[in-house]
Structures are given as structure tokens and as C-alpha cells.
Amino acid sequence: MNAPNKSGWKPEMQVAEDGFLGGPATTTGNRALMLEEPLLFEIGRADVTGVDLPPVDPAAASRLGGLARSEAIGLVGLTEPETVRHYTRLSRQNYGIDLGFFPLGSCTMKHNPRLNEKMARLPGFADIHPLAPQNAVQGALEVISQLGEWLCKLTGMPAVAMSPKAGAHGELCGILAIRAAHEARGDAREVVLVPESAHGTNPATAAFANYRVEDIPATPEGRVDVAALKARLGPDVAAVMITNPNTCGLFEKDFREIADAVHAAGGYVYCDGANFNAIVGKVRPGDLGVDAMHINLHKTFSTPHGGGGPGSGPVVLSEALAPFAPLPFVRKDDAGGFYLVEEENREERGPSFGRMTAFHGQMGMFTRALTYILSHGADGLKQVAEDAVLNANYILRSMEDILHAPFGASGPCMHEALFGDKDFTNGLSTLDVAKGLIDEGYHPMTVYFPLVVHGAMLVEPTETESKAAIDQFITAFRGVVTRALAGDEALKAAPYYSPRRRLDETAAARKPKLAYEG
Amino acid sequence: MRYLPLTDTDRQAMLATIGASNIDDLFVDVPEVARLDGPIHGLPMHASEMAVERHMKALAAKNLVAGEVPFFLGAGAYRHHVPASVDTIIQRGEFLTAYTPYQPEIAQGTLQVLFEFQTQVARLYGCAVANASLYDGSTACWEAVAMATRVTRRKRAVLSGALHPHYAQVVKTMAHFTGDTIADALPAITAEPDLDGLIARIDADTACVVVQYPDILGRISDLTPVAEAAHAKGALLVVVNTEPVALGAIKSPGEMGADIVVGEGQSLGVGLQFGGPYLGLFAVRDPKHVRQMPGRLCGETTDAEGKRGFVLTLSTREQHIRREKATSNICTNSGLCALAFSVHMTLLGERGLRELAAENHRLACLAADRLAKVPGVEVLNTAFFNEFTLMLGGKPARQIVRDLADRGVLGGVSLGRLYPGVEALEHALLVAVTETTTEDDIERLACELEASIKETV
């Protein structure tokens, strides 16, 4: 490929402030195995294809009703070897959990077992149509049923809606079920209470369901302010949305008391179950008084994040909300078979609030999650929670002598350890620590979230890291924090060794360039 | 526990560092009432890789695999051949196991892919800007309606009767809760879609008109008059596409004046997967609408050394910044499915997509002509791409579909399943043909359909 190098590389010696960076510039901009890769549109050609198909016959019969495309679409193609190389080169500019430790708090990056991938690709799951006659897809319906049964038992809840396509979609499902339940009893309520430490999706979801959102403050200990919450309850409050364990990494120990108060006031309790991985097999949210909770299958049950998705967000529901679950859902028949309740089974749909997505949910994620669950079993899942919590507390206690841990005195953390940058001076910040960690070979922790802590650093190790891996991370993390505390100016320009240095996000937003225009 | 690296010795050493005597000291904040001491009743213990594989394979074996029988199902999910290299690439750990690219310095792979993906989708749809994907076509359809209500400050959406009924149900479900008004209709069972009837329903309160192209009965027609009528009343035209391969053969929605184009990207790279995960596509024709778009966007910028690079951008529209004022509560995209789509599109290129589309259409024409010869069968459409509707002369399509499955042919989707209770559609069968369909498959369907019709009362 004789592609023009439009990457902006300048042929001059590059020397980092803190030392040796890599010698003289190269002609190509590449550095041995670190290869620059042009855009697809700079290397592809309109008349090249990597798929052998019959050429278009201009004389062929056409029933296109005069709508045949006359103009070029503007796409380009590559042959198979060029395609494989383009994407392989791009892949090498990515950090993934397969490469190393990924301590993202509240995002839960754990090992993705390859058996899950293998099972999801069995033609019996991957190559079946969502509208196939139901007698032809009994095994697929059974997968949905089995996974649903596990989710109900693990959460201590009587029902589950499987169709939501991601965590935030699951939130929407739970909130719509709550809205439908209130409507069914003629009780119009307008307000949803959301603690300020909640995920940003919580208020967005409530607003999307046409609720007015009101914030509930956090206590200095990093938990929901129970007194403030109780004081706000009333006949206009439809629901409270609480994340447990919360985004400060703490268990909401007053959850049951909150739930009882909400129920007494005629409201429902939505639990954001994004952090269920810390308590699976140890705590059943149903025992805490939850009415609806979504479960991010990619977080707790290891389906891959894939650079941002797809997710999957089944929602467990209490007796009160179960009748309002969205279509479609799977039921067992008397003969041991399975069937879908969709619009055609009108008599069985009950007061369902309707349909959230075209088909049955993220089947490919269900097979992966079920495979993971069966591999661990009830005993293994409990061990998952225990090891995740152990690893997080180990990091918390190994760092708190040099890094401010705002809730370190609030008791043990759950799945994640939270730190802040209030001891940094000389203009250094959490961002500089994060970028410094990149040079050490780590993906940074979650930064600037939750908002209740200044310069938050949220570290979640998960259960799939060994003690040796965590000790190595602690050494690297302490090293960068020590430099930050000492006011090491070089950190302000980190990272030095990544495929790109600090990127200008302000310029990107000011003059958005969202498609290739060449 | 093959996925858990801590040993008991490690655990003891770590507890000692923490200053805890046992693991339950770390769960002290969990109230007594909610603590589980023993294993959960009724769930099995952990199992070996071999045992799990055996269990899952037994479940998979209970399904009739599409690729093993003559297969004609569509209605929003299509079976296409996916080149082997697509799956090889998406299984690379650096793509498969990466997170959302919030740290762009070490996520340029994902980000460049998204930038290229956005460009491909925008061009395919004839639009200026596409986002980095949504959950699926049906949820993207609702997001388009929600966006149109924000842009026009009106609350009424007019849905074409020939919009996929599941998509229409998703829109109606959401609108019930947001207070928006949805005007929908049943499809006119005519050779050409009733665009005049649709245009007549547009009024001064209409935020948008939603039209599917090709529509749920497989029909295609020029949407320019609908765009003009919508614009004349200050409304937006939303065009929904469930089969992106079609756009290799027919005019793009943007070319016909669509303001928002959404669709399902599953056909390219993703596979059937019993309905998910799929790939929601979303694009706008006018770049000034970009700040009202839902979902993630990847943009080009430069790094500290002046090199070109990519970042997620315009996040001030999104939930993590704007909370309850966000354009959508979506906080993800279908990253891996977008990668699969993009790789497949790269392998095809302009030439390959046109050839693929032509081959789909050629086989569909063959099938329509052959099936029209089956006694009692009439092809409804005059114009179509790779999907068309058969009228079965009063025979119940749902029963015929089940009967065909028993005969080893997955013969199509009965429109009665999609429109329960609508008598006029009980006798209509939607048949999709792709490049994976052989001429033998078509002959087999024709013969079994003829036999099935004869035997069905």
C-alpha cells in the first residue's frame, strides 16, 4: 500500500522531558512494531472488493420501480489481506483486558472466558431467526428461561424481564414498569428521587419516562442521606433510584430502612444493579426490599465490553411490578416446552406496558452469561464476590497512606476503592495520574466519577486479578502518585509512550469533524 | 475455579494486610437480614469446561439452524453470508475486551474504527453525520421520533402503516409514557404503498413522519413527495431501513429528502443471533442537527504532537454530563457489532455492495416469479428489493409456516404473527431471499408451499 501519510507526523527528533524516547525519526512515522495506520478511505478503492460475487449484469431483470441508484455511494473496499492488516494494526492501538489490568471502577472489566465466545457461536444459537416458528427454536427459549431462573434465584426476586438491551435500557424498563403500576391504580405521581452519587443514566432515564427528577444528597460518609430522603417522601414520589453497592464503593447499609419508608409512602424502589458483581451469591436484593433492578450481564457475568457494547440489561421485578413486564417473555408450557408470549397471545400478556425492542433481547449475551454462570455455579459466584471485595479492600488499604481515601473510615469498601486528589499541589491533578499510569502500561482507573469526591479515582480490580498482578499495580500506582505529590511537572505532559499523546478534546468539540471528507 | 487466580494463601495474606480476620469482616455493612450464609437453594455448583460445553451444545441442538434448511425469513432480520475474516477480527482481544474509549491515547483502534464506521453509514444513508451506533433498529426508530419532537417542539408523530409493527410498538410504548401522540395505521394491502394517504395525515402539529424503506411488505417507492409534504408542514421525514444491503441497489433515503435515517445494521457482519445483539444505525442529513442526536459520536482531532487522532466528542449532549437534560439516557453503543458491520462493509466496498445487492435482487426476482406460479399464490408487490409478500388465497399463513417447518423449510414470516387480529393479513406471507438462497431452495419452497396449500383447509 502506497498510502499517503496524513497522520501529521513531523520528521524531527522527539525527546521527552524526562529522558530517552526512542532515537531518530523514521521515514514512515512507524516505530518498529508500533505502526501508523491510515484511514480506510485513504487506502481503499471504489473498484476493489474482498468478496467474490457475480458482477452486476446491467441487463438483469429489475423490479426496483425506477429507484435504482445512479450516483456513487462513496464507499471504498479492500481485499481480504489488506482488510485483515488494516484492522489488526488498529487493534494494536487499543488497550483491552486481554492485554493487562483494567481497574475501571463501576465499569467492571474482568476476564472474558473464551468458552463463552465459543458457545455463543454454535450455529444452534448464532444462526437462528427471531421470528422462526417457535417449535424450531425450543433450545433458544430454554436458554432464556434458564438464565432468567438463575437471575431470579441469585437476586431473590420472583420475575425477570429479559429483553432490555443494555443497563440503561434496563433502567428504563424498571422505571416504565413502575410508571405502569402507578397508572394501573390511578395514582399519578410525578417525581423520582435520585441520590447525587447515582450514575448519570438514572436521572436521564427518569426524565425520559417523563418524571421530574430531584436529587438526594450524600452523607459525609458516602452513603444516601436517609433523613433527607425520608423527609422528601410523599404522595408525589413515584420511586427512588439507588445504586447498591453505590458508586462510592460502599454498601448502602440502611437500604432496607429506606425501602420500607418508600413503600410506606406508596412509592417503589429501583436499584441500579450495575455493581451486583460485588454481592452476587452473598446478598439477595429481594431481601432488601427492591422492586426492580437491572443486571449488566457484561459486568457481573463477563460478556465482553467490545469497545463500548453491546450490553445486556435484564431486569428483575417484584411481585408488584412483574405483571407490567415488557413483551415478549418466555413461559413454560405443561408439556415441558417453552413459548413466547408476544402480541399474538393477547389473553396472556396481562397489563404488560408494551414492547421495548423489536425482538427478544441480547440472545448472544444470554448464551455467554449462562455459560459463565454454569462454569462458576452457586459456589463459584459467591467466591467471585468475595475475591472482588477482597482485592478492592487490599488496594484501598495499600494506598490510603499516600492517597486521600475520602471514605476510608466508613468501613470496608465493596467492589471498588475510591480516592481523591485533594493532597496534590503544584497544579497536578487526577488526570495527570491517569495519564502517568498509561505510560506504566495500565489502563487508568475511572476518573472524576463519582462527582461527590474532588478529582475522584475509582479503582475496581475484580476477582480475576491475581495477588501478584495487584501488587504490581499497587507499585506502579504508588510510583505515579508519589510523583504527583512531589509536583513532578513531567507528568503534566504524560502519556509519552502511547500511540497518541494527549488529544485535544476541546478542539474536537468546537469544530466537530465526524466523518471523512476526502 | 479456573477463572479465579487467588489462592487461600493469597487470601490470608491480603486479609492480614487489610487487618480483617476473615472475609465476612468485609461484608459487615450488609445487614443480617440480607446475608446469605449457605449456597442458594436449587442452583448447581461449578462445572468443568467440558461439562458446560456439553450442556450448551445440547440446548443448541434443539434449534433448527437456518443455514441447514431452505430459509426465507426476513421481516427485520436477514441471513447473509459473513466473510470468515469478520469474526476473526472481532475476536481479537484488543477489540473484544476493550472498554468504551474514554482514554483516547490507548483506544485509537476503537476510535478510528468508529470514525470509519460513521463515515460508511453516513454515505450509505446519504446523510452528513452518523453516530457510533445504538442498540438496534427499533430503539433507534424511537430515538428518531424523540429527536424530531425536540427539534420541532411538536409532539405528534405520524407512522406509516407499513412500518415494522414491532418498531411501531416500541414507539407507541415509549410515547405512552412521554405524552407524545402517535398516529399509526394498518398497512394498505396494495401493490404500491399508499403514500397519498400518509401525506394526508400530516398536519401543522406533526413533528415527524416515519416511513420504512423497503417497507414491511417489501415494497419500495420514491419518498420524495413525502419529504416535500412533511417539509411544507414544518415536519421532519424519518426513514427507517431494516435491510442495509438494499441501499447498494436503490436510492438512499437522504437523496430523497429524509431528515433522519435510522435502521438495523444486522445484515452486515452481525448474523441472526435470535434477535440480538443487533446494531442500531442513526444518521442526520443536516449537520446542524448534530447536537440533538442521541448516542455516542467519534470526532477527529490532533494530539499534543500534532498527529491526527480521534476522541469521543460532543458529550455535553449525553447523560453523564447533562443528567436529566440529556438527549437520551443511552450510555453505550453496539461497539463490537459496529466493528463487524464496518469490517464487512470494508470487504465489500462500493463494488462488492452493489454486486451483493444485485445478486440479492436477482434471486428475489427469480423466487417471486417461481412462487407466483404456485396455484393459489399471488405476489403482491410490483417493486421490491429482496423481500416481498405472497397472498395465499385465503389460506392461513401461520399454519402454513408451521407446516412448512415440519416439512423442513423455513418458508417466511406470516404477517398474521406480526399483526395479530388483523384478518386481512392472516393470509399474507412475507418471503425474504438473499445471496445465501440457492435456486434449489426456491424450487423446494415452491413445491412444499404448493403441497402445503393443497392440504391446508
Side-chain angles (χ1 to χ4, degrees):
Chain A
M1 257 175 262
N2 296 313
N5 184 340
K6 295 189 182 174
S7 66
W9 168 81
K10 292 189 276 297
E12 60 196 6
M13 181 81 87
Q14 296 164 3
V15 181
E17 287 88 332
D18 66 344
F20 183 73
L21 185 66
T26 55
T27 307
T28 53
N30 298 336
R31 290 179 189 169
L33 292 176
M34 248 0 276
L35 303 170
E36 292 290 323
E37 182 61 13
L39 278 169
L40 168 61
F41 292 91
E42 294 162 349
I43 54 176
R45 289 86 80 202
D47 58 347
V48 166
T49 177
V51 181
D52 287 327
L53 286 155
V56 179
D57 176 4
S62 168
R63 312 279 168 79
L64 295 176
L67 289 170
R69 258 204 204 247
S70 49
E71 306 289 312
I73 303 167
L75 298 169
V76 294
L78 297 174
T79 58
E80 177 170 313
E82 293 170 311
T83 301
V84 169
R85 201 169 274 170
H86 177 66
Y87 289 100
T88 301
R89 288 179 173 197
L90 289 179
S91 75
R92 288 156 49 87
Q93 298 177 23
N94 256 13
Y95 198 99
I97 189 74
D98 282 359
L99 183 69
F101 185 36
F102 219 130
L104 276 170
S106 271
C107 300
T108 314
M109 294 296 289
K110 60 169 74 174
H111 173 64
N112 300 145
R114 287 313 192 273
L115 179 64
N116 303 356
E117 296 303 310
K118 188 178 174 189
M119 295 300 96
R121 285 172 172 78
L122 292 173
F125 297 131
D127 193 21
I128 53 175
H129 192 282
L131 294 170
Q134 293 185 31
N135 56 355
V137 288
Q138 283 295 300
L141 297 176
E142 195 171 345
V143 165
I144 297 176
S145 175
Q146 277 187 10
L147 178 60
E149 200 171 318
W150 272 89
L151 297 179
C152 286
K153 287 194 166 155
L154 289 170
T155 55
M157 302 284 281
V160 61
M162 298 296 285
S163 70
K165 310 217 63 136
H169 206 220
E171 286 177 30
L172 193 57
C173 174
I175 288 297
L176 295 186
I178 287 169
R179 186 139 209 154
H182 281 303
E183 280 178 9
R185 62 182 196 220
D187 184 4
R189 292 176 175 231
E190 294 159 6
V191 176
V192 167
L193 305 181
V194 182
E196 58 184 13
S197 63
H199 288 128
T201 46
N202 292 177
T205 296
F208 228 46
N210 215 14
Y211 281 117
R212 199 167 75 242
V213 177
E214 290 185 23
D215 290 345
I216 297 294
T219 63
E221 290 78 41
R223 294 190 170 90
V224 176
D225 185 332
V226 180
L229 189 147
K230 281 185 175 173
R232 182 57 192 83
L233 290 174
D236 60 339
V237 174
V240 176
M241 299 180 85
I242 306 182
T243 305
N244 197 27
N246 71 22
T247 49
C248 297
L250 302 174
F251 194 85
E252 294 286 357
K253 50 173 132 183
D254 301 318
F255 197 100
R256 180 84 230 189
E257 185 187 340
I258 294 169
D260 289 344
V262 173
H263 289 151
Y268 292 103
V269 178
Y270 187 86
C271 181
D272 183 319
N275 304 325
F276 187 56
N277 57 309
I279 56 171
V280 60
K282 299 285 288 182
V283 180
R284 284 184 303 210
D287 297 337
L288 292 167
V290 168
D291 290 295
M293 182 180 95
H294 74 268
I295 299 166
N296 302 71
L297 294 185
H298 49 287
K299 293 186 176 185
T300 302
F301 301 116
S302 83
T303 71
H305 265 276
S312 180
V315 180
V316 288
L317 298 166
S318 62
E319 293 284 1
L321 297 184
F324 304 97
L327 299 166
F329 46 87
V330 176
R331 286 242 174 104
K332 269 184 208 180
D333 66 25
D334 295 338
F338 297 86
Y339 66 101
L340 274 172
V341 176
E342 10 174 50
E343 199 69 23
E344 68 173 291
N345 311 78
R346 275 171 186 275
E347 65 285 1
E348 285 190 77
R349 65 167 282 181
S352 164
F353 70 72
R355 182 181 280 275
M356 296 191 75
T357 178
F359 301 117
H360 328 308
Q362 308 287 58
M363 182 65 194
M365 299 294 126
F366 300 161
T367 47
R368 287 171 176 88
L370 183 60
T371 301
Y372 172 91
I373 281 176
L374 294 170
S375 295
H376 282 81
D379 52 337
L381 290 173
K382 183 174 177 228
Q383 191 70 55
V384 160
E386 291 182 351
D387 285 358
V389 171
L390 180 63
N391 280 350
N393 278 280
Y394 184 64
I395 289 175
L396 177 69
R397 300 306 171 199
S398 300
M399 293 298 297
E400 64 184 351
D401 61 321
I402 62 164
L403 191 56
H404 176 57
F407 307 123
S410 301
C413 63
M414 299 304 289
H415 55 299
E416 56 197 357
L418 179 57
F419 305 99
D421 70 352
K422 88 174 175 71
D423 296 334
F424 294 179
T425 51
N426 304 310
L428 287 161
S429 67
T430 287
L431 187 69
D432 304 316
V433 173
K435 302 301 183 191
L437 271 171
I438 290 175
D439 281 338
E440 301 289 347
Y442 289 97
H443 193 285
M445 67 305 254
T446 295
V447 293
Y448 300 104
F449 180 83
L451 302 173
V452 289
V453 172
H454 190 270
M457 292 174 237
L458 192 56
V459 181
E460 177 167 4
T462 82
E463 75 283 1
T464 58
E465 297 303 323
S466 68
K467 180 171 181 293
I470 288 180
D471 283 335
Q472 283 167 12
F473 170 72
I474 289 169
T475 301
F477 195 18
R478 288 183 70 92
V480 179
V481 169
T482 303
R483 287 171 60 196
L485 289 169
D488 182 351
E489 289 287 317
L491 266 185
K492 285 189 182 175
Y496 295 90
Y497 306 119
S498 48
R500 285 292 178 273
R501 305 287 303 280
R502 283 196 199 192
L503 287 141
D504 190 345
E505 304 198 26
T506 311
R510 196 173 294 145
K511 266 191 96 177
K513 190 173 174 194
L514 306 170
Y516 180 73
E517 283 161 8
Chain B
M1 303 288 177
R2 57 191 176 274
Y3 305 134
L4 302 178
L6 294 186
T7 64
D8 280 340
T9 311
D10 293 334
R11 294 184 180 113
Q12 289 311 319
M14 294 166 83
L15 283 168
T17 301
I18 294 165
S21 57
N22 63 62
I23 190 72
D24 280 328
D25 285 359
L26 303 180
F27 288 86
V28 54
D29 287 333
V30 177
E32 203 69 43
V33 58
R35 275 195 231 176
L36 276 172
D37 292 328
I40 297 171
H41 177 69
L43 295 178
M45 299 296 125
H46 68 277
S48 69
E49 180 159 326
M50 196 170 69
V52 174
E53 192 165 336
R54 192 179 294 137
H55 178 90
M56 295 303 288
K57 280 185 169 165
L59 289 171
K62 294 181 183 178
N63 299 319
L64 186 55
V65 177
E68 291 176 1
V69 292
F71 177 85
F72 296 89
L73 273 64
Y78 302 89
R79 185 169 192 277
H80 289 286
H81 176 73
V82 178
S85 48
V86 173
D87 196 44
T88 308
I89 288 165
I90 71 167
Q91 285 208 66
R92 282 191 69 88
E94 303 92 327
F95 285 129
L96 183 74
T97 74
Y99 187 65
T100 303
Y102 289 138
Q103 297 287 343
E105 295 85 358
I106 46 173
Q108 286 298 303
T110 290
L111 286 160
Q112 184 168 330
V113 165
L114 291 180
F115 187 80
E116 293 172 355
F117 167 82
Q118 288 173 183
T119 306
Q120 287 171 326
V121 173
R123 291 182 179 192
L124 184 71
Y125 278 178
C127 286
V129 186
N131 75 8
S133 75
L134 298 172
Y135 307 136
D136 71 354
S138 66
T139 52
C141 181
W142 160 250
E143 293 287 347
V145 170
M147 177 178 153
T149 63
R150 288 194 298 275
V151 168
T152 60
R153 298 172 194 276
R154 299 175 180 180
K155 291 178 74 64
R156 180 170 182 268
V158 173
L159 308 191
S160 154
L163 173 65
H164 195 300
H166 287 175
Y167 287 40
Q169 285 167 27
V170 171
V171 171
K172 283 189 279 184
T173 296
M174 286 306 304
H176 168 75
F177 293 103
T178 58
D180 296 327
T181 312
I182 303 301
D184 70 329
L186 288 171
I189 309 166
T190 47
E192 313 268 347
D194 178 18
L195 295 186
D196 291 338
L198 181 66
I199 287 168
R201 291 160 57 211
I202 306 170
D203 63 21
D205 294 327
T206 304
C208 63
V209 186
V210 184
V211 191
Q212 185 170 317
Y213 169 81
D215 74 15
I216 187 63
L217 303 180
R219 301 172 302 190
I220 44 178
S221 50
D222 188 355
L223 300 176
T224 312
V226 186
E228 286 168 357
H231 295 158
K233 292 260 168 66
L236 304 185
L237 174 63
V238 175
V239 173
V240 177
N241 169 264
T242 63
E243 172 54 294
V245 174
L247 300 179
I250 56 179
K251 278 185 185 170
S252 72
E255 208 179 329
M256 296 187 291
D259 299 285
I260 306 174
V261 186
V262 297
E264 177 52 68
Q266 168 272 333
S267 278
L268 293 177
V270 179
L272 290 173
Q273 304 196 88
F274 201 48
Y278 281 2
L279 175 66
L281 307 179
F282 194 110
V284 295
R285 189 167 52 94
D286 185 343
K288 80 170 188 287
H289 286 149
V290 90
R291 282 168 211 273
Q292 288 296 332
M293 283 175 80
R296 288 184 180 146
L297 289 164
C298 173
E300 184 182 321
T301 187
T302 51
D303 81 346
E305 292 176 6
K307 290 179 180 172
R308 178 173 67 193
F310 303 93
V311 294
L312 292 182
T313 192
L314 298 178
S315 57
T316 48
R317 306 162 297 117
E318 291 184 80
Q319 33 70 32
H320 63 280
I321 309 267
R322 293 205 80 200
R323 293 173 68 91
E324 66 268 25
K325 294 189 175 63
T327 54
S328 164
N329 77 327
I330 285 177
C331 89
T332 188
N333 62 328
S334 292
L336 205 64
C337 298
L339 172 65
F341 177 99
S342 199
V343 176
H344 194 170
M345 190 67 104
T346 299
L347 284 162
L348 288 166
E350 175 99 14
R351 185 179 137 199
L353 183 69
R354 284 172 174 275
E355 289 170 351
L356 177 65
E359 180 66 356
N360 272 253
H361 187 57
R362 182 184 75 85
L363 284 161
C365 291
L366 270 181
D369 289 344
R370 175 66 186 88
L371 293 169
K373 290 186 187 137
V374 174
V377 170
E378 185 194 336
V379 176
L380 178 72
N381 310 47
T382 47
F384 58 88
F385 170 62
N386 69 351
E387 192 167 20
F388 51 83
T389 300
L390 298 183
M391 304 308 295
L392 300 182
K395 301 285 182 170
R398 271 191 278 193
Q399 196 180 327
I400 301 255
V401 164
R402 281 193 290 265
D403 185 44
L404 287 172
D406 289 341
R407 294 165 184 268
V409 176
L410 290 171
V413 174
S414 87
L415 285 163
R417 180 170 177 182
L418 294 177
Y419 294 92
V422 181
E423 193 158 346
L425 289 160
E426 289 288 329
H427 316 297
L429 180 66
L430 188 62
V431 173
V433 174
T434 72
E435 76 285 357
T436 65
T437 312
T438 65
E439 295 186 25
D440 285 349
D441 291 341
I442 294 168
E443 189 55 34
R444 179 83 191 283
L445 173 62
C447 294
E448 299 295 352
L449 185 60
E450 183 167 347
S452 181
I453 284 174
K454 262 186 207 151
E455 289 167 27
T456 303
V457 184

